[in-house]
Amino acid sequence: MKLFSFWAVAFALCLFGAWEVDGFLEMNEEEIFYTEAHASHYNESKAVYGNNALSVGLTLIKSAAAKGAVCLDGTLPGYHWHRGYGSGANSWLIQLEGGGWCNTVRACVYRKTTRRGSSNYMEKQLQFTGILSNRAEENPDFYNWNRVKLRYCDGASFTGDSEHKAAQLQFRGQRIWSAAMEDLMSNGMRHANQALLSGCSAGGLASILHCDEFRNLFPGRIRVKCLSDAGLFLDAVDVSGARTLRNVYGGVVGLQGVQHNLPRICINHLDPTSCFFPQNIIGNVKTPLFILNAAYDSWQIQSSLAPPSADPRGYWGDCRKDHSKCSASQVQFLQGFRNQMLNAIKGFSKSRQNGLFINSCFAHCQSERQDTWFADNSPVLGNKPIALAVGDWYFDRSGEKAIDCPYPCDNSCHNLVFR
């Protein structure tokens, strides 16, 4: 029995890339680019929100097959939808799921055996928390809207359109996006009186890339805006002097045929890989866009700035998993990353219609978690938590462009720590 338990756990680690132990996260380094697992921070109490969260079932998009809009393994894509009610009956919030990317045939074949590449492995029920919560005290502005979580199973932020016949891989992210939007429009979204496209991480990048497409689904008189959470991935130099994430993005764009679906205004003067980086496209998004990001994004530190491939001697091993273990020189390097992020949003921030919430936290995806979205001890900027900042911006109650002072000045952060 003990032998069986050992191999069961080993298989789970290989399959999903990570599992949670004692409030921390174990990581499978080899798959760090291909999955974005969630971590726990020191102070989180799982009992507060997790047990009572709304559970929403998975709906497969039956019409997608005829359009060739399928996951990596050819299975149907899907979403979770909780219907709006009362004053929110005709309001729609679409949340694009994140989960890294796959940039090689091997990596994409691996994803076919997970929920990131096949609906066969997707959870049949998902808990809706944070911006998806159905409780006014947890989600004051969007709790009674139609809230939809579109599952991510293509590995290219819903932008690819090609295939690899030998490996039996379908790269149909753009078709999945279109099929999902068409299905939701036929299920009532065409009657929307207001709408918000959001996304976390790879889904946050997707919300930027598809923002204007989303706007064009609706009449001009309808309020339509977009929110990108932890989607501001930077074309940054890693600790070895190379550009790890650029190499990954180059593989994604080339393998999955992404270049055909990138903004023309960018492609006309930059290479396709550069146009997959949000810093090169946010300035040309016409639709109002809110960027929510941690200045010291945990995923980018681990996977782009200091991945094991760029740190063979392990000098960054402790720091990249726990900011409290960073040396003075390492903190200085991370401050340089923050400065690069602030430079990337300079032009974007000048537009009155856009919003910002850049806090100096070691975090990733703060809109989906209840403790970081809206709770008694949520992260704040100017005494305002993320949920209220986004709501005030969306409803034009106030302009929101909040940028935090550098680490370690913010004691409201819910910093992620990995084991």
Side-chain angles (χ1 to χ4, degrees), residues 45-65:
S45 173
K46 297 178 187 177
V48 175
Y49 297 106
N51 295 334
N52 299 316
L54 174 70
S55 185
V56 181
L58 175 66
T59 298
L60 296 180
I61 305 171
K62 302 296 184 183
S63 60

Side-chain angles (χ1 to χ4, degrees), residues 234-236 242-252 271-275 277 280 304:
L234 298 183
D235 189 4
R243 292 185 180 269
T244 296
L245 192 55
R246 168 165 277 272
N247 290 335
V248 172
Y249 275 10
V252 174
D271 63 277
T273 299
S274 294
C275 294
F277 279 98
N280 297 319
S304 175

Side-chain angles (χ1 to χ4, degrees), residues 137-356:
E137 64 270 25
E138 296 178 354
N139 187 24
D141 283 306
F142 309 108
Y143 71 96
N144 64 346
W145 285 31
N146 290 277
R147 299 168 328 283
V148 179
K149 178 135 188 159
L150 178 59
R151 301 305 296 269
Y152 178 40
C153 64
D154 65 274
S157 290
F158 298 94
T159 58
D161 194 6
S162 63
E163 64 181 338
H164 193 292
K165 291 183 178 178
Q168 297 182 314
L169 287 167
Q170 293 290 318
F171 304 123
R172 304 300 184 188
Q174 182 70 33
R175 297 190 192 191
I176 291 172
W177 157 264
S178 298
M181 294 304 105
E182 185 176 327
D183 190 72
L184 291 169
M185 291 294 278
S186 68
N187 277 302
M189 194 166 72
R190 67 180 180 274
H191 302 303
N193 54 28
Q194 53 191 356
L196 174 64
L197 176 67
S198 68
C200 156
S201 202
L205 171 57
S207 69
I208 296 171
L209 289 165
H210 290 292
C211 184
D212 286 339
E213 289 179 64
F214 187 68
R215 159 73 270 185
N216 291 336
L217 293 173
F218 305 95
R221 68 182 185 279
I222 302 302
R223 177 190 280 125
V224 180
K225 299 186 179 184
C226 306
L227 164 65
S228 173
D229 177 8
L232 191 58
F233 297 98
L234 298 183
D235 189 4
V237 174
D238 64 33
V239 295
S240 73
R243 292 185 180 269
T244 296
L245 192 55
R246 168 165 277 272
N247 290 335
V248 172
Y249 275 10
V252 174
V253 170
L255 178 64
Q256 298 213 30
V258 170
Q259 63 271 19
H260 305 300
N261 297 311
L262 294 172
R264 289 293 104 194
I265 193 170
C266 183
I267 290 292
N268 287 339
H269 69 278
L270 290 177
D271 63 277
T273 299
S274 294
C275 294
F276 201 59
F277 279 98
Q279 67 197 76
N280 297 319
I281 56 179
I282 54 176
N284 295 316
V285 176
K286 298 177 182 177
T287 307
L289 172 63
F290 192 103
I291 291 180
L292 163 62
N293 229 93
Y296 313 96
D297 183 274
S298 295
W299 191 90
Q300 292 191 65
I301 291 172
Q302 294 168 6
S303 307
S304 175
L305 298 181
S309 60
D311 180 37
R313 296 186 178 181
Y315 174 66
W316 279 82
D318 291 334
C319 171
R320 71 191 188 90
K321 298 175 184 178
D322 183 347
H323 67 283
S324 69
K325 297 180 180 178
C326 295
S327 67
S329 62
Q330 288 171 329
V331 170
Q332 185 176 5
F333 182 88
L334 296 178
Q335 299 293 17
F337 175 76
R338 173 184 176 271
N339 291 338
Q340 185 176 346
M341 183 177 292
L342 298 187
N343 285 331
I345 59 174
K346 271 185 179 178
F348 171 87
S349 65
K350 292 178 182 178
S351 172
R352 292 181 62 187
Q353 71 175 9
N354 294 329
L356 287 170

Side-chain angles (χ1 to χ4, degrees), residues 59-89:
T59 298
L60 296 180
I61 305 171
K62 302 296 184 183
S63 60
K67 302 177 177 70
V70 293
C71 299
L72 287 171
D73 68 339
T75 54
L76 291 174
Y79 56 75
H80 302 253
W81 172 24
H82 190 249
R83 292 179 182 270
Y85 59 94
S87 61

